[in-house]
Amino acid sequence: MDHREIRGLISAVVTPFKADGSLDVKNFERHVERVASTRGIYGVAVSGHAGEVLTLTSDERIEIVAAARRVMPKGVKLVAGIASGSMAGLVHEGRIAKAAGAEMLLVLPLFDVRPYRHLCHQPEAVYSVFERMDREVDLPMIVFQYPEATGCAYSLPSLQRIASLKNVVGIKAATVTASKYAEINDALGDQLAVLAACDAPSLLGMLLHNAPGALLGISVVGTQQWVEIIREATTGDARKAKELHNQFGVPLMDGIYEYQLQKTPVSTCAANKEALVQLGEIPSSWVRPPALNITPARQAAIRGALQKSGLLMAKTAVGM
């Protein structure tokens, strides 16, 4: 797969649950079908952090990918997030996602545990993981680059080491700052699709720095507008992108994701789902423990954000 074909928006969808905590497959399919049918979208990512991948069993992950495959329109890429605490487990998750219909993988860091975090800075350790995935799973991969503050961000030499692998085609650059995004894109943009990944105002600066596109969780709320922001910022009119970003995107980034500052303990997954609940798209914002569910104060903040963005009229808002 040529990395140059990865352009525009990959939207990371949520995973709805029923009252008993089980997967709500029916509403998941409706959700995916709506997002994937958005004009101009490149792909849909399931079972990522926005989809609560860490709370899903392997069987549930298979069910999620298969359900998405059933409703995805032709031409829209299906990306499956995978995570594991072992190399064998990561290979297994990649293989079952591929068998269920995934066309690309979003690979969460194997090193996201305290004893292994330092290995993100060791190019040969990182290469050993992705070389084995490249060989034993053989499916295009997007590397999930975490923020520096997590202690689990790959070093630039580590990313450069894996860039030559056939199936490493992109990076989800969740770098928080535009300057860190620029550093990665300057170094690797000619080899990989370095996707902007920020649910906060830094996104616009990333997009304007020669980004090919973005992979965003917040984009399930008003997906068509996010497609337009990304298109204008990357290939269109920067002034129009700024206007759309500030008038539409920023209120949602504040009300739903709190600019990624985690001002309250409520899960961002719950907040993202709550926005979809208020828009009438899914019935529940419930998230699996240990994540914390929505509160009345956060419901009100999200309602206000939806109104400011123009997605929800005050007279039709939930609770009004």
Side-chain angles (χ1 to χ4, degrees):
M1 179 181 186
D2 191 330
H3 74 277
R4 289 170 293 187
E5 80 169 61
I6 305 174
R7 292 290 182 270
L9 174 65
I10 299 176
S11 189
V13 297
V14 304
T15 302
F17 296 112
K18 296 179 181 178
D20 63 1
S22 63
L23 294 180
D24 186 347
V25 176
K26 182 178 180 180
N27 279 299
F28 174 75
E29 288 181 340
R30 289 175 177 172
H31 173 53
V32 170
E33 185 172 23
R34 193 273 299 167
V35 173
S37 298
T38 304
R39 185 178 67 257
I41 198 168
Y42 177 80
V44 168
V46 303
S47 63
H49 280 311
E52 300 173 71
V53 61
L54 299 180
T55 72
L56 301 175
T57 67
S58 288
D59 287 345
E60 288 174 329
R61 294 177 191 179
I62 294 171
E63 191 171 5
I64 285 291
V65 175
R69 181 75 280 158
R70 288 195 294 269
V71 299
M72 290 275 288
K74 291 182 179 179
V76 178
K77 293 290 186 182
L78 175 55
V79 183
I82 60 169
S84 178
S86 72
M87 187 67 243
L90 198 64
V91 169
H92 172 72
E93 293 296 328
R95 285 173 170 170
I96 63 176
K98 180 179 180 178
E103 297 165 282
M104 301 173 69
L105 300 174
L106 174 61
V107 184
L108 278 64
L110 176 63
F111 308 104
D112 192 17
V113 289
R114 190 195 59 76
Y116 297 154
R117 283 179 186 153
H118 69 286
L119 295 175
C120 285
H121 298 274
Q122 304 300 321
E124 293 309 313
V126 177
Y127 182 81
S128 70
V129 171
F130 284 94
E131 189 279 330
R132 184 169 170 185
M133 292 290 294
D134 182 78
R135 177 166 37 86
E136 296 189 17
V137 180
D138 192 21
L139 200 65
M141 293 178 283
I142 297 172
V143 179
F144 201 141
Q145 172 72 342
Y146 281 7
E148 293 286 325
T150 64
C152 194
Y154 298 114
S155 64
L156 190 57
S158 293
L159 293 172
Q160 291 171 320
R161 181 70 177 92
I162 63 176
S164 62
L165 290 169
K166 178 187 70 171
N167 284 304
V168 174
V169 296
I171 299 171
K172 176 181 177 176
T175 58
V176 178
T177 69
S179 58
K180 289 302 296 183
Y181 172 84
E183 179 184 45
I184 296 171
N185 202 20
D186 288 349
L188 291 166
D190 61 342
Q191 295 176 267
L192 305 174
V194 184
L195 300 169
C198 184
D199 304 294
S202 298
L203 174 68
L204 184 59
M206 296 178 184
L207 292 172
L208 292 173
H209 194 82
N210 301 316
L215 202 167
L216 301 172
I218 199 171
S219 66
V220 295
V221 182
T223 309
Q224 188 65 64
Q225 288 92 327
W226 289 108
V227 168
E228 292 168 7
I229 290 171
I230 293 162
R231 183 180 64 244
E232 295 295 346
T234 57
T235 62
D237 185 337
R239 289 175 297 179
K240 186 174 182 181
K242 176 183 175 182
E243 180 180 340
L244 288 168
H245 173 268
N246 290 347
Q247 293 181 0
F248 172 79
V250 169
L252 298 179
M253 292 169 169
D254 185 15
I256 298 173
Y257 272 80
E258 301 180 306
Y259 290 166
Q260 292 190 219
L261 297 175
Q262 201 67 62
K263 299 174 185 177
T264 64
V266 171
S267 164
T268 53
C269 294
N272 218 18
K273 286 182 177 181
E274 177 60 26
L276 296 175
V277 169
Q278 294 192 27
L279 292 171
E281 295 192 17
I282 61 174
S284 172
S285 64
W286 188 83
V287 291
R288 285 177 172 172
L292 299 182
N293 282 287
I294 206 73
T295 63
R298 294 290 285 118
Q299 284 180 318
I302 292 164
R303 185 180 308 125
L306 293 172
Q307 292 168 2
K308 286 180 182 178
S309 71
L311 289 175
L312 191 67
M313 299 297 292
K315 66 180 180 180
T316 61
V318 174
M320 296 296 286

